[in-house]
Amino acid sequence: MKSSQNLKLLRINETSLSQSLLSEPHGWLVDLVNQFGEMGGFTAIQCKLNQEEMEIGEPHGWLVDLVNQFGEMGGFTAIQCKLNQEEMEIGCVSALVQPLGVCAEYLNSSLVQPMLDPVIHKMITYVQNLEEKDLKDKRLVSIPELLSAIKLLCMRFQRELVNIVDDLRLDILLRMLKTPHFSAKMNSLKEVTKLIEESTVSKTVKNAIDTDRLLDWLVENSVLSIALEGNIDQAQYCDRIKGIIELLGSKLSLDELSKIWKIQAGQSSTVIENIHTIIAAAAVKFNFDQLSHLFVLIQKSWEVESDRVRQKLLSLIGRIGREARSEATTGKVLEVLWELAHLPTLPTTLVQQALEEHLTILSDAYAVKETIKRNYIIKCIEDIKKMQIQEDSKSSSETQVSFLTGTWGKKKPSSLAKSSQQTNPQTVWVVPALRQLHEITRSFIKQTYQKQDKSIIQDLKKNFEIVKLITGSLVSCHRLAVSVAGSNGLSGSTLVDGRYSYQEYLESHLKFLAFFLQEASLYLVWNRAKEIWECLVSGMDVCELDREMCFEWFTKGQHDLESDVQQQLFKEKILKLEPYEITMNGFNLFKTFFENVNLSDHRLKRQGTQLCVERLDLAGMDFIWRIAMESPDEDIANEAIHLIITYSYINLNPKMKKDSVSLHKKFIADCYKRLEAASSALGGPTLTHAVTRATKMLTATAMPTVATSVQSPSRSSKLVIIERLLLLAERYVITIEDLYSVPRTILPHGASFHGHPVTLHITYESTKDTFTLEAHSNETIGSIRWKIAEQLSCPVDNVQIFANDSMLTMNRDQKLLNQLGFSDEQSLTVKSSGTGTPSGSSADSSASASSSSSGVFNSAYALEQEKSLPGVVMALVCNVFEMLYQLANLEEPRITLRVRKLLLLIPTDPEVQDALDNFVPKESSVWSHQKTLFTLGSGSQASKSPSLSSKQQHQQSAASILESLFRSSAPGMSTFRVLYNLEVLSSKLMPTSDDEMAKTSVKSFCENFLKAGGLSLVVNVMQRDSIPSEVDYETRQGVYSICLQLARFLLVGQAMPSLLDEELSKEGLDTLSSRPFRNAGRQSGRQLSVCGTPEKSSYRQVSVSDRSSIRVEEIIPAARVAIQTMEVGDFTSTVACFMRLTWAAAAGRLDLVGSSQPIRETTNSLLPLGVRSRVSSTGSNCSSGSEGEVTTLQAGICVKQLFVSIKDTIIAREALSLLVTCLQLRCQQLSSFYNLTSVNDFIIDILLGSPSGEIRRVACDQLYTLSQSDTSAYPDLQKPNLFLLKVVLTAQLPLWSPTSIMRGINQRLLSQCTEYFDLRCQLLDDLTTSEMEQLQIGPAAMLEDEISWLDNFEPTWTNELETSEADNILLAGHLRLIKTLLSLCGKKTSDQLYS
């Protein structure tokens, strides 16, 4: 033996430990071994090996030494003393004996046996003598371990006792199992399971009981039956039983199996599941007889149990099949499931479950061969083929498996199932057969990725003609469904066989057919495609579901049809559909085949993701037009319109777009032809004549003719067609002209005049600064961008505008605000990109940019491009105006709206332009330049407007021509046309372009217009009888709005009050006081709010309430002359007109302007019923009369309205401003205003009753402005301030009711009284002593009344015990009035009151 020194040869001496770890992976082990040798380890081993007494070949010598050392140290003596104690617990004995049993074979029998024999006999006797009551003691849990150790000792020292101990072990376990105590039963089962594992699994347990003996004991003592009588509802209990039954397996008797099965009768769901788990575990080892018996038991339960239990039975059968390792067992289970699924009365949920279990076994089972799967595929096909079956009941016995007795499902079928079975018994299994065929076939393909594994698909394709079979089955099932539905009509929910709905039939057929075509790489032939289409789409008895599913199926399966079949289906079937039959799925189908067919014919060409049109004669284009015009679904019509625009122009080959004018003319001609067909039944000869004449003119020069297919006879459908054609034209113009982002020379009509005011609240993102821009709805984004750039002093190219979280890019600069959906109060966010060339001033940069850009954009090329835009072609080449006017006369709101929108998109009617141009000398008219643009293509064929048709024959005066343009009752005119002509007039007076030529022309035109009585003409449009009562509100609103806009311009020469805003920003609020007031205290008075504190009005509020004011000194001379020279009757009529318009707009009831009934005057109250009970400012009581339905302007009309739109607010503001301006210009005629019917009601209503705070503020300002009018030149005329003060003081209002009960019904009026008290205080504050005497009023008496009212005031308390908001506003008004009265009374009176 080598010494430890010699072992050092293993060390790696050349390197350190760390280096050795890098080069030698086991260096650490080498070091460890060397260290062991250095410490004398190998020497000690050598000495031990050299001992002569050491037993060679003894593997446990160390254990023997350890036991001997234990004995030498008195260990055995201590154990003997412990075991000899009388009161020793069984657990302690077990703990002492178990170590001895483990090492019994190494103990010296001569020394240890005398000590252990008494213990062995004592313990055996102890266990044998245990009584039943002792078995429930928890301490006995150690008995099985004790007996296991005793057996080990007996095997060493007393072999004759081994069998006795084994018997005792089994006997005590049986006794424990029979006790009623759960813990004892569980411990017994636990030990039985342990014995089974020791005897079968582990071969190293020395004291294990022989397996055969254990089996005999289990069978002889019916251990399983006893165990099943216990707590089988406990999962852990059943897990122990499962081990027993797995061991028993084939030795389980049929009687015991039946007994086990019967245990579940009437038990809970948990018990049933536990029993099934136990049986499934045992069934793996069952022999043929046992398995047959088990299925007989299952069958008997099936016949009597509920569907809930049947679900569990199906799960048990499936589990047996999945866990089986025998081909015979698996085959039997599959047949049972197949037969169960075929039971005619089985609910669909159970059929589905049976088939799922069947499929799972086929897919995952160990013993299922491919031939079995193929057999079931054939069975599915046979079931699909069987649409008729013999009526005899022998069919069930023919398909019974060999181990079954009796017939499944003896339950009587329900009446519904019975009736359906009588019709066609086997049809019930078409749906499940298709589904199972689909799933089995798919599972074949899923199992592997190799190509040859699709052989089953090829077999089906070759041997069974699956496609023909499925389509034939689909047709047969559809026929059956129709016959079952009868008079109720077929629907998706129709139960074809009492179990499956018609929708399930359709889905199962179409899904499998699509799957098979895809996997088999088959194309659907024409005959089959035609068969499906005729069955589901064009048949007589089809329902909505048929069409929807067929449309969707053909769309998804487009690649399963060859090109020629697609062509046939598209031309012979799809294009023969009626538009009302086209759903969104149908349209998607049409669109798919439309693209495929035209691609195939090379009419379309794919370029990337886009389809490019190579030829205009696209197959199916006429059908798209029909869908767009006649589809009852708006979404489908919109999609069709989009397609028409796309394939008529947008996606055309660039070469074809070179002659864009011809393309637009062709499109317009297509629209005209369809419009002519639709209008032939509408509108009488005028409309038909207008459309026909335009059609003839177009078709003479248009491209190839188009077929029309408008055949619906009803008026409503004709109107829909007309509306859709107008919508199509509108979108055509928008879509194409949006591509043209260059500034326009020939403006669309909507961009040529000022729209309604729009306030833009702009936030600068980088600094969070905010500012406000005043714009109008017809302003372009480009104009707004310039204004913002000027405000921020940055290059316009750097300005980024965000509206509603989306950026408005520069290519949208030609879009108008109304086209982008801007609201009247629009918030914008602005960012600056920070790049670009800095300039000295934004004004210089914008000027230079605009001048340089205009040089490019006004070039001949740009103009030619503009002339080819569809809107320009539509207006100036095709002259669509007469036709559009006639369509508007149909008085159909939706068509009128569409006509209006289209007219705004195309240039202005040249005929109206020419008529208005007669007022401007030719040499000074900028419009003569425009006319050269407008004559393009019109020539002598251009039709004249009806109202102007006699111009060539009779040289009318200027006033006559104007009158015919703006009078709706004139021949060929309407309110719609009056609005349009007013817009054209606005574009003449207030052009949106800023060039100097236009400004020069405007001045001349304005003067000529005023000389021709233009102001009166504009005012006359607003007169009561000017607009018929039936005109829609929006048109009426538009007419009044633009008339007021024009009237303001004619007076002061500016369209928008932007000058005021500039002055405010430069000079502050002081400029508001620049008007000549009668009393210098006016300014300081206005600086205070109703409660005497500085007024908290924002810039927006001040500009809103003051922007309506017109300064007398600003009025242009021609307008001043026009008003001052007006006849008295005309002037009175004008003032009444403005009053009526203001009142109606303040109430949000513009329709009352044209009411045939006169204004109703009230005698004793200005407020409607419900708000009249009050105490007046003098303390007198008043009452009211009755009130009927409001059909005219009268007191309280404003109070009835809860909301007034912003547009009506603007109209009221502008009309009141013009009213006051006219009265200021002719102060001598103020009496005509004083004497107007209900003027007192009007003043109080707009000042107090209007729900719009802005209207009330404007009324306060304007009425006070009127009160300041200087009438000193007319001493006999009542001063306006006295008139207004008398109206305010004598008005009977609910503002002096001291009790909360009396004020309760007037809360809204109380909350709106601020402006009333403002005006009252201002008028009182301006009074002189003589004026007080003239009115017979005394400030002291009024002050005493106010203080008395204040003493009696009872506040209205809110839920938070605070005074109501309305009461607070009322109190603030009274306090301000008291303050004003105190200032009027003087110091002496005030001191007296205070004292």
Side-chain angles (χ1 to χ4, degrees):
M1 185 67 72
K2 292 183 180 179
S3 67
S4 60
Q5 288 80 5
N6 294 333
L7 292 174
K8 282 192 176 183
L9 294 173
L10 294 171
R11 182 187 293 275
I12 304 173
N13 294 319
E14 292 81 4
T15 59
S16 65
L17 176 61
S18 60
Q19 291 172 332
S20 67
L21 285 173
L22 295 174
S23 57
E24 172 58 52
H26 301 297
W28 60 272
L29 180 58
V30 174
D31 288 342
L32 185 61
V33 173
N34 286 334
Q35 192 172 3
F36 177 74
E38 291 172 355
M39 295 176 69
F42 292 104
T43 304
I45 292 174
Q46 187 176 15
C47 293
K48 191 69 176 174
L49 293 173
N50 290 335
Q51 291 179 5
E52 294 180 358
E53 65 272 14
M54 184 169 182
E55 297 181 13
I56 304 300
E58 175 55 56
H60 301 296
W62 59 272
L63 180 58
V64 172
D65 289 344
L66 183 62
V67 172
N68 287 332
Q69 192 171 2
F70 177 75
E72 291 171 0
M73 297 177 69
F76 289 104
T77 304
I79 290 175
Q80 185 177 13
C81 292
K82 194 72 176 173
L83 290 174
N84 289 334
Q85 293 179 3
E86 293 296 331
E87 300 298 329
M88 186 74 172
E89 289 187 0
I90 194 70
C92 294
V93 176
S94 175
L96 290 171
V97 171
Q98 282 185 62
L100 298 176
V102 172
C103 62
E105 59 182 305
Y106 306 109
L107 297 178
N108 190 335
S109 58
S110 60
L111 294 176
V112 179
Q113 187 172 356
M115 179 186 73
L116 291 180
D117 280 350
V119 176
I120 293 172
H121 289 287
K122 180 180 178 181
M123 288 299 103
I124 290 174
T125 303
Y126 172 80
V127 174
Q128 288 175 340
N129 294 332
L130 283 174
E131 298 181 4
E132 295 300 323
K133 63 180 181 178
D134 299 327
L135 296 177
K136 64 180 181 180
D137 194 338
K138 291 182 179 180
R139 292 175 296 179
L140 295 183
V141 70
S142 12
I143 286 181
E145 295 177 350
L146 173 63
L147 293 177
S148 176
I150 293 294
K151 181 179 178 180
L152 288 172
L153 293 176
C154 290
M155 291 171 67
R156 175 74 174 87
F157 304 116
Q158 297 190 30
R159 287 193 168 275
E160 67 278 5
L161 295 178
V162 170
N163 289 335
I164 296 174
V165 173
D166 280 344
D167 291 340
L168 189 59
R169 291 174 71 185
L170 295 175
D171 182 62
I172 195 66
L173 290 177
L174 185 60
R175 291 175 65 193
M176 290 173 66
L177 187 61
K178 289 180 178 180
T179 62
H181 305 294
F182 178 73
S183 59
K185 285 176 174 288
M186 277 299 297
N187 290 329
S188 174
L189 287 175
K190 181 179 177 182
E191 288 302 319
V192 171
T193 305
K194 183 178 179 182
L195 291 178
I196 292 172
E197 290 176 354
E198 290 175 352
S199 65
T200 56
V201 180
S202 176
K203 302 298 182 185
T204 59
V205 180
K206 296 178 182 177
N207 61 345
I209 300 176
D210 182 67
T211 303
D212 292 336
R213 183 175 180 185
L214 193 59
L215 277 172
D216 292 341
W217 174 76
L218 288 171
V219 173
E220 290 171 3
N221 294 281
S222 302
V223 173
L224 181 60
S225 299
I226 297 171
L228 289 171
E229 293 172 358
N231 304 72
I232 55 175
D233 56 334
Q234 300 291 331
Q236 65 269 33
Y237 186 87
C238 290
D239 286 341
R240 301 298 181 188
I241 296 177
K242 190 164 64 171
I244 298 174
I245 201 168
E246 283 177 348
L247 177 65
L248 288 172
S250 59
K251 292 195 175 183
L252 192 65
S253 68
L254 299 184
D255 290 340
E256 199 161 18
L257 182 59
S258 298
K259 187 177 179 182
I260 296 172
W261 185 259
K262 288 178 182 178
I263 292 173
Q264 62 183 312
Q267 296 293 327
S268 65
S269 177
T270 305
V271 172
I272 294 174
E273 289 177 1
N274 289 340
I275 293 294
H276 288 180
T277 301
I278 293 170
I279 291 177
V284 177
K285 296 183 179 179
F286 278 1
N287 56 33
F288 182 85
D289 292 334
Q290 288 174 312
L291 198 60
S292 300
H293 185 69
L294 174 61
F295 278 112
V296 169
L297 295 173
I298 294 175
Q299 178 183 337
K300 289 179 179 179
S301 295
W302 182 274
E303 294 170 0
V304 297
E305 293 290 357
S306 64
D307 288 342
R308 182 180 62 85
V309 177
R310 288 181 175 186
Q311 289 179 357
K312 300 183 183 302
L313 293 175
L314 286 173
S315 298
L316 170 61
I317 297 170
R319 196 182 310 176
I320 293 171
R322 288 193 300 274
E323 296 176 1
R325 291 296 176 265
S326 164
E327 185 177 343
T329 302
T330 305
K332 290 174 183 178
V333 170
L334 287 172
E335 289 184 34
V336 169
L337 288 171
W338 187 256
E339 185 176 340
L340 285 173
H342 278 71
L343 291 178
T345 58
L346 197 64
T348 54
T349 53
L350 294 181
V351 173
Q352 184 65 24
Q353 184 183 354
L355 292 178
E356 286 174 358
E357 298 287 354
H358 189 271
L359 182 65
T360 305
I361 296 170
L362 282 178
S363 303
D364 303 330
Y366 173 81
V368 176
K369 295 183 179 179
E370 187 175 317
T371 53
I372 298 176
K373 296 181 182 180
R374 290 179 180 269
N375 288 338
Y376 280 104
I377 287 176
I378 294 171
K379 287 185 177 184
C380 290
I381 294 172
E382 290 173 351
D383 280 319
I384 296 170
K385 289 180 178 180
K386 291 177 184 176
M387 296 302 290
Q388 294 293 332
I389 195 171
Q390 296 180 359
E391 292 183 359
D392 56 355
S393 58
K394 294 181 180 179
S395 57
S396 58
S397 61
E398 292 173 0
T399 57
Q400 284 180 11
V401 290
S402 58
F403 56 87
L404 290 178
T405 60
T407 306
W408 289 89
K410 287 185 179 179
K411 260 186 166 182
K412 291 184 179 180
S414 64
S415 59
L416 180 61
K418 189 180 292 184
S419 62
S420 63
Q421 290 300 98
Q422 289 172 354
T423 304
N424 200 338
Q426 193 58 24
T427 308
V428 71
W429 232 80
V430 172
V431 172
L434 277 167
R435 290 175 177 173
Q436 199 71 352
L437 175 62
H438 189 171
E439 295 300 329
I440 297 174
T441 312
R442 186 161 58 184
S443 69
F444 255 104
I445 299 168
K446 279 184 178 179
Q447 286 174 1
T448 179
Y449 299 100
Q450 296 180 8
K451 208 169 187 179
Q452 59 268 25
D453 292 312
K454 286 192 177 183
S455 58
I456 183 65
I457 296 288
Q458 301 304 321
D459 290 347
L460 292 175
K461 181 171 67 173
K462 181 178 178 181
N463 300 324
F464 294 98
E465 294 185 329
I466 288 293
V467 175
K468 184 177 181 181
L469 171 66
I470 301 302
T471 52
S473 173
L474 175 63
V475 173
S476 299
C477 292
H478 180 269
R479 265 198 300 265
L480 177 63
V482 170
S483 65
V484 170
S487 59
N488 294 327
L490 183 61
S491 69
S493 58
T494 300
L495 290 179
V496 179
D497 48 36
R499 293 197 295 185
Y500 292 100
S501 67
Y502 177 59
Q503 181 172 352
E504 291 175 294
Y505 270 82
L506 268 183
E507 286 177 348
S508 57
H509 280 88
L510 294 178
K511 280 184 179 179
F512 178 73
L513 189 55
F515 163 78
F516 188 78
L517 290 171
Q518 180 70 28
E519 297 298 332
S521 301
L522 273 177
Y523 286 111
L524 189 66
V525 298
W526 167 242
N527 287 338
R528 301 286 81 78
K530 179 182 175 184
E531 193 175 3
I532 295 172
W533 184 272
E534 290 176 350
C535 173
L536 300 180
V537 177
S538 58
M540 293 294 294
D541 299 307
V542 298
C543 62
E544 182 182 356
L545 178 69
D546 287 328
R547 291 196 181 96
E548 287 294 294
M549 293 194 67
C550 185
F551 291 154
E552 187 177 359
W553 189 82
F554 274 111
T555 304
K556 291 180 178 178
Q558 55 177 300
H559 301 298
D560 295 327
L561 279 71
E562 288 187 295
S563 177
D564 58 334
V565 177
Q566 288 192 27
Q567 292 260 9
Q568 277 186 287
L569 186 65
F570 182 66
K571 294 177 180 178
E572 296 183 22
K573 298 298 179 183
I574 297 176
L575 295 184
K576 294 296 193 302
L577 291 171
E578 292 297 326
Y580 66 82
E581 296 178 316
I582 298 291
T583 61
M584 188 56 77
N585 281 335
F587 185 77
N588 291 334
L589 170 67
F590 165 79
K591 184 179 175 183
T592 300
F593 277 72
F594 171 82
E595 293 173 355
N596 292 344
V597 168
N598 284 290
L599 280 168
S600 176
D601 290 345
H602 305 292
R603 292 183 173 96
L604 291 177
K605 182 180 179 181
R606 191 175 297 280
Q607 293 183 349
T609 58
Q610 195 175 21
L611 295 176
C612 185
V613 179
E614 298 293 317
R615 289 164 51 187
L616 283 175
D617 57 333
L618 296 176
M621 200 65 188
D622 288 341
F623 191 69
I624 304 179
W625 279 83
R626 285 189 63 199
I627 295 173
M629 299 305 105
E630 301 177 41
S631 174
D633 190 309
E634 292 291 338
D635 292 335
I636 296 173
N638 287 332
E639 290 288 331
I641 286 172
H642 175 72
L643 274 190
I644 291 172
I645 297 170
T646 300
Y647 292 119
S648 294
Y649 187 85
I650 300 298
N651 282 13
L652 261 59
N653 187 308
K655 293 180 181 178
M656 300 175 71
K657 287 185 180 179
K658 289 182 178 180
D659 187 10
S660 56
V661 173
S662 297
L663 294 171
H664 300 327
K665 288 173 69 177
K666 177 186 181 299
F667 171 80
I668 297 167
D670 289 348
C671 291
Y672 263 125
K673 280 184 174 292
R674 289 168 171 81
L675 188 59
E676 182 180 7
S679 62
S680 59
L682 298 174
T686 307
L687 176 59
T688 307
H689 173 71
V691 176
T692 305
R693 184 172 63 174
T695 306
K696 290 178 179 177
M697 184 178 70
L698 274 172
T699 51
T701 56
M703 298 179 70
T705 58
V706 291
T708 59
S709 314
V710 187
Q711 301 171 354
S712 179
S714 69
R715 175 180 173 83
S716 60
S717 63
K718 300 285 187 183
L719 292 173
V720 169
I721 292 171
I722 294 173
E723 181 193 348
R724 297 268 178 83
L725 284 167
L726 292 169
L727 176 62
L728 171 60
E730 175 190 332
R731 292 194 181 163
Y732 184 83
V733 172
I734 291 173
T735 304
I736 297 174
E737 293 192 357
D738 278 354
L739 304 175
Y740 184 84
S741 57
V742 179
R744 296 284 296 271
T745 303
I746 309 173
L747 291 177
H749 176 65
S752 66
F753 65 94
H754 283 77
H756 62 268
V758 173
T759 303
L760 303 176
H761 302 284
I762 298 169
T763 302
Y764 187 37
E765 182 71 21
S766 59
T767 62
K768 301 300 180 184
D769 292 338
T770 60
F771 57 94
T772 303
L773 287 180
E774 297 297 334
H776 62 89
S777 58
N778 290 344
E779 198 162 351
T780 63
I781 287 295
S783 171
I784 302 300
R785 199 183 300 275
W786 280 109
K787 289 181 180 180
I788 293 172
E790 188 174 3
Q791 179 78 22
L792 299 178
S793 299
C794 70
V796 69
D797 291 342
N798 292 2
V799 175
Q800 298 176 347
I801 304 175
F802 294 84
N804 303 323
D805 297 328
S806 63
M807 190 171 91
L808 303 175
T809 55
M810 296 191 74
N811 61 0
R812 306 183 76 184
D813 275 3
Q814 299 309 305
K815 301 290 284 185
L816 307 182
L817 300 190
N818 66 73
Q819 292 175 338
L820 296 174
F822 274 37
S823 61
D824 297 327
E825 300 276 343
Q826 179 69 41
S827 297
L828 297 178
T829 303
V830 173
K831 297 180 182 178
S832 178
S833 60
T835 59
T837 306
S839 56
S841 70
S842 60
D844 294 340
S845 64
S846 62
S848 61
S850 61
S851 61
S852 62
S853 62
S854 63
V856 177
F857 296 148
N858 291 332
S859 64
Y861 174 76
L863 185 58
E864 286 302 317
Q865 289 293 310
E866 195 170 352
K867 288 179 182 179
S868 64
L869 292 176
V872 178
V873 173
M874 204 174 285
L876 308 181
V877 178
C878 301
N879 200 359
V880 299
F881 295 102
E882 183 180 357
M883 178 267 297
L884 292 178
Y885 297 148
Q886 293 298 333
L887 290 176
N889 286 341
L890 290 173
E891 297 180 356
E892 294 288 339
R894 295 180 61 168
I895 291 180
T896 303
L897 177 63
R898 294 264 76 89
V899 171
R900 171 104 180 117
K901 289 192 173 184
L902 183 57
L903 283 172
L904 292 174
L905 292 173
I906 65 178
T908 304
D909 186 355
E911 296 294 340
V912 182
Q913 294 270 26
D914 288 344
L916 292 175
D917 271 344
N918 289 333
F919 297 103
V920 185
K922 301 297 181 184
E923 60 275 6
S924 65
S925 176
V926 70
W927 306 109
S928 59
H929 165 67
Q930 290 275 1
K931 284 169 66 178
T932 61
L933 302 178
F934 293 158
T935 54
L936 130 120
S938 57
S940 59
Q941 294 181 349
S943 62
K944 306 296 181 184
S945 300
S947 62
L948 307 176
S949 58
S950 59
K951 188 173 64 176
Q952 315 292 341
Q953 303 167 8
H954 306 285
Q955 292 296 324
Q956 300 173 333
S957 66
S960 175
I961 295 175
L962 283 176
E963 196 268 346
S964 67
L965 282 175
F966 302 109
R967 183 165 54 88
S968 61
S969 59
M973 289 295 291
S974 64
T975 307
F976 179 88
R977 289 201 61 182
V978 168
L979 175 58
Y980 184 80
N981 292 345
L982 285 169
E983 291 168 350
V984 180
L985 176 61
S986 176
S987 71
K988 294 283 191 181
L989 290 169
M990 303 176 285
T992 52
S993 58
D994 292 331
D995 57 274
E996 292 301 322
M997 247 182 120
K999 291 179 181 177
T1000 305
S1001 173
V1002 163
K1003 186 177 180 182
S1004 172
F1005 183 86
C1006 183
E1007 291 175 356
N1008 289 335
F1009 185 73
L1010 285 170
K1011 289 175 183 177
L1015 182 58
S1016 297
L1017 189 69
V1018 171
V1019 173
N1020 286 340
V1021 177
M1022 295 182 279
Q1023 292 288 1
R1024 188 178 69 185
D1025 300 329
S1026 176
I1027 300 178
S1029 59
E1030 66 272 8
V1031 172
D1032 65 278
Y1033 198 88
E1034 188 174 350
T1035 301
R1036 183 184 298 274
Q1037 202 176 47
V1039 169
Y1040 292 146
S1041 178
I1042 200 164
C1043 279
L1044 291 169
Q1045 191 183 78
L1046 290 169
R1048 168 184 278 276
F1049 179 83
L1050 292 172
L1051 287 174
V1052 297
Q1054 81 184 53
M1056 300 290 292
S1058 56
L1059 179 62
L1060 172 66
D1061 298 335
E1062 293 172 7
E1063 291 177 358
L1064 282 172
S1065 62
K1066 293 175 183 176
E1067 304 174 21
L1069 298 178
D1070 291 341
T1071 54
L1072 292 177
S1073 60
S1074 61
R1075 290 193 296 259
F1077 295 121
R1078 293 174 66 253
N1079 191 330
R1082 157 70 169 155
Q1083 182 175 352
S1084 61
R1086 284 204 57 179
Q1087 300 291 329
L1088 298 174
S1089 69
V1090 290
C1091 51
T1093 57
E1095 193 171 9
K1096 299 178 180 179
S1097 57
S1098 65
Y1099 164 71
R1100 167 71 182 153
Q1101 289 172 322
V1102 173
S1103 64
V1104 161
S1105 60
D1106 212 68
R1107 70 153 57 103
S1108 57
S1109 299
I1110 300 174
R1111 301 179 189 178
V1112 175
E1113 60 270 20
E1114 293 175 350
I1115 298 176
I1116 59 178
R1120 186 187 297 267
V1121 170
I1123 293 175
Q1124 291 177 345
T1125 59
M1126 197 179 289
E1127 293 290 335
V1128 175
D1130 291 343
F1131 180 78
T1132 303
S1133 176
T1134 300
V1135 170
C1137 170
F1138 286 139
M1139 186 191 89
R1140 188 185 299 108
L1141 184 55
T1142 303
W1143 201 355
R1149 290 288 306 273
L1150 288 176
D1151 53 303
L1152 296 181
V1153 175
S1155 172
S1156 58
Q1157 301 181 21
I1159 295 176
R1160 183 193 299 177
E1161 183 152 21
T1162 56
T1163 56
N1164 62 347
S1165 176
L1166 300 180
L1167 295 172
L1169 185 66
V1171 295
R1172 292 180 182 173
S1173 297
R1174 76 266 169 264
V1175 179
S1176 73
S1177 59
T1178 60
S1180 61
N1181 292 324
C1182 305
S1183 59
S1184 62
S1186 60
E1187 183 178 26
E1189 182 184 356
V1190 178
T1191 57
T1192 184
L1193 292 171
Q1194 61 182 9
I1197 185 66
C1198 292
V1199 182
K1200 290 180 177 292
Q1201 203 73 10
L1202 297 178
F1203 172 77
V1204 177
S1205 69
I1206 293 179
K1207 290 183 179 179
D1208 283 347
T1209 301
I1210 294 171
I1211 289 172
R1213 186 183 73 200
E1214 296 297 327
L1216 184 57
S1217 173
L1218 289 170
L1219 170 63
V1220 172
T1221 302
C1222 289
L1223 293 173
Q1224 285 180 312
L1225 285 174
R1226 290 185 68 165
C1227 290
Q1228 68 273 25
Q1229 298 297 329
L1230 274 170
S1231 58
S1232 63
F1233 174 67
Y1234 301 159
N1235 297 325
L1236 288 176
T1237 305
S1238 296
V1239 67
N1240 295 6
D1241 296 351
F1242 160 70
I1243 291 170
I1244 297 300
D1245 219 15
I1246 65 170
L1247 184 64
L1248 179 63
S1250 177
S1252 168
E1254 183 174 341
I1255 290 176
R1256 298 194 304 273
R1257 286 192 294 271
V1258 169
C1260 180
D1261 286 348
Q1262 291 296 332
L1263 291 172
Y1264 185 79
T1265 301
L1266 178 62
S1267 75
Q1268 302 300 298
S1269 301
D1270 187 6
T1271 59
S1272 57
Y1274 312 101
D1276 297 334
L1277 183 67
Q1278 184 182 11
K1279 295 179 181 179
N1281 65 317
L1282 300 183
F1283 169 77
L1284 291 172
L1285 185 57
K1286 183 179 179 181
V1287 171
V1288 169
L1289 291 177
T1290 58
Q1292 299 174 2
L1293 302 172
L1295 305 181
W1296 276 267
S1297 302
T1299 63
S1300 60
I1301 296 176
M1302 295 179 68
R1303 293 194 309 273
I1305 58 175
N1306 300 313
Q1307 290 297 307
R1308 207 186 94 194
L1309 281 179
L1310 301 183
S1311 65
Q1312 296 175 180
C1313 69
T1314 300
E1315 293 75 20
Y1316 168 82
F1317 279 108
D1318 277 356
L1319 182 61
R1320 182 171 180 144
C1321 292
Q1322 291 160 7
L1323 292 174
L1324 285 171
D1325 196 37
D1326 287 349
L1327 281 179
T1328 63
T1329 305
S1330 61
E1331 288 173 341
M1332 289 183 192
E1333 294 174 355
Q1334 184 179 347
L1335 288 176
Q1336 299 180 351
I1337 60 173
M1342 294 175 68
L1343 186 58
E1344 287 180 7
D1345 286 345
E1346 283 297 309
I1347 294 174
S1348 174
W1349 176 86
L1350 202 58
D1351 285 340
N1352 297 322
F1353 180 77
E1354 296 178 3
T1356 303
W1357 301 104
T1358 64
N1359 294 333
E1360 292 78 19
L1361 298 180
E1362 296 178 356
T1363 54
S1364 67
E1365 184 180 358
D1367 278 2
N1368 287 337
I1369 294 172
L1370 178 64
L1371 281 170
H1374 279 282
L1375 289 172
R1376 180 171 182 189
L1377 179 57
I1378 291 172
K1379 181 178 179 181
T1380 303
L1381 292 172
L1382 283 171
S1383 67
L1384 289 174
C1385 289
K1387 186 175 186 303
K1388 182 179 178 181
T1389 306
S1390 300
D1391 291 342
Q1392 290 176 354
L1393 287 169
Y1394 288 136
S1395 64

